[in-house]
Amino acid sequence: MLDWNPALYRRYEDERTRPAIELLARVPLEAPRRVVDLGCGPGNSTELLAARFPGADIVGIDNSRAMLESARKRLPAVRFEFDDIHDWEPESAPDLIYANAALQWVPDHETLIPRLFDKLQPGGVLAIQMPDNRAEPTHRLMREVAAEAAFSAAIGDADKLRTELLSIDGYYDLLAGNAATVDVWRTAYQHPMASAAAIVEWVRGTGLKPFVDRLAPGLQQDFLAEYERRVDAAYPSRADGRRLLAFPRMFIVAGRKA
Ligand SMILES: C[S@@+](CC[C@H](N)C(=O)[O-])C[C@H]1O[C@@H](n2cnc3c(N)ncnc32)[C@H](O)[C@@H]1O
């Protein structure tokens, strides 16, 4: 996949940061010493951590150079490091591992999630939020258009870049045997969007990216036009002319035994 585009990602930053705020609100820690933001992106989630835990040693981890550069500009006092979450090893055990909208890009959750949990200090917390929208029209339609003859050879298995999530009780089971507490929940946000084009722009910053990245520029335009046509039909205008984008997200907050 080509590198992320921080400017495009930040265009819907308020909406994207709301689940990060709601995840953090459920973290039952007063003053953690070491905090890690996995998949920190442009630093929007790291900024929340820095505001809530001003005394903590915070590090943001990401494998996108562009995102790290954007995060460093935003928070010059915070440490940001290039690493792949899949192989990441902390220098010393963190009190909080926080991953907002990142782990859906990392495979093998049955191994990954317990492995991250085991890296915590006793009494530490693992907090995760992931979009759970693969069954939504936005994502169903990108797979449908990608399967059309004009695009399928180039796009191939782009859909596989994003990990198929477990069920919410599956995540509970992964952690509950070892944890002091496991808090899981699922919310479907309803975002009023100005137009079908705005919905396309939103998903271009994230889920649509692996599909579009694989197409030559001319085909990208064709793909996006056809995709927007279908999005337009799937998200009808509401009473104010806006489109309501339903966006389900899954949350997991697990505490280690002290
Ligand atoms: C959707 S953004 C989330 C940014 C931010 N945490 C937020 O709350 O909005 C996902 C981030 O995860 C990063 N990412 C994806 N896969 C990764 C991996 N295997 N290792 C490290 N970072 C990864 C991407 O580079 C991107 O910056």
Side-chain angles (χ1 to χ4, degrees), residues 3-247:
D3 204 353
W4 290 68
N5 178 339
L8 185 56
Y9 184 76
R10 291 186 65 172
R11 216 162 285 163
Y12 291 98
E13 187 166 280
D14 282 355
E15 290 86 349
R16 294 193 201 280
T17 304
R18 177 173 162 192
I21 294 169
E22 293 175 4
L23 176 67
L24 186 54
R26 295 293 303 165
V27 171
L29 293 173
E30 286 292 318
R33 285 173 49 213
R34 280 187 286 274
V35 171
V36 181
D37 186 11
L38 288 183
C40 58
N44 52 319
S45 46
T46 326
E47 191 167 50
L48 300 174
L49 293 166
R52 164 112 180 247
F53 304 123
D57 172 22
I58 300 177
V59 59
I61 303 289
D62 209 287
N63 69 352
S64 157
R65 305 262 178 218
M67 285 296 208
L68 287 168
E69 192 186 329
S70 176
R72 287 184 185 119
K73 275 194 197 130
R74 180 182 198 137
L75 298 169
V78 173
R79 205 153 39 94
F80 290 98
E81 293 177 359
F82 183 94
D83 210 340
D84 192 310
I85 295 168
H86 195 258
D87 320 309
W88 168 76
E89 294 289 341
E91 284 158 19
S92 45
D95 302 291
L96 173 60
I97 298 177
Y98 178 93
N100 186 66
L103 298 189
Q104 73 276 12
W105 297 107
V106 188
D108 197 10
H109 282 189
E110 283 93 343
T111 311
L112 175 75
I113 306 274
R115 196 172 69 77
L116 292 176
F117 189 69
D118 287 346
K119 295 194 183 307
L120 290 166
Q121 284 283 355
V125 170
L126 175 65
I128 298 167
Q129 182 277 124
M130 294 178 286
D132 189 13
N133 54 359
R134 284 173 69 98
E136 292 299 306
T138 41
H139 288 64
R140 180 173 48 75
L141 292 173
M142 59 181 84
R143 291 192 294 273
E144 277 179 25
V145 180
E148 299 276 309
F151 311 114
S152 61
I155 294 181
D157 63 355
D159 185 40
K160 301 276 184 311
L161 283 184
R162 195 165 134 175
T163 302
E164 188 110 30
L165 299 192
L166 309 182
S167 62
I168 199 154
D169 44 3
Y171 288 106
Y172 186 90
D173 287 343
L174 274 185
L175 293 162
N178 252 337
T181 55
V182 184
D183 181 12
V184 291
W185 72 103
R186 194 172 182 274
T187 301
Y189 295 90
Q190 306 288 331
H191 299 294
M193 303 293 289
S195 60
I199 294 177
V200 175
E201 188 182 59
W202 171 305
V203 294
R204 268 199 84 173
T206 50
L208 193 58
K209 193 173 147 37
F211 293 76
V212 173
D213 282 354
R214 292 185 173 191
L215 295 170
L219 271 184
Q220 286 187 0
Q221 294 316 312
D222 295 348
F223 180 93
L224 289 168
E226 178 56 21
Y227 177 61
E228 185 177 323
R229 196 184 63 71
R230 296 189 197 196
V231 166
D232 187 38
Y235 293 90
S237 296
R238 311 311 311 177
D240 59 357
R242 291 171 173 265
R243 317 300 176 96
L244 214 43
L245 174 65
F247 202 128

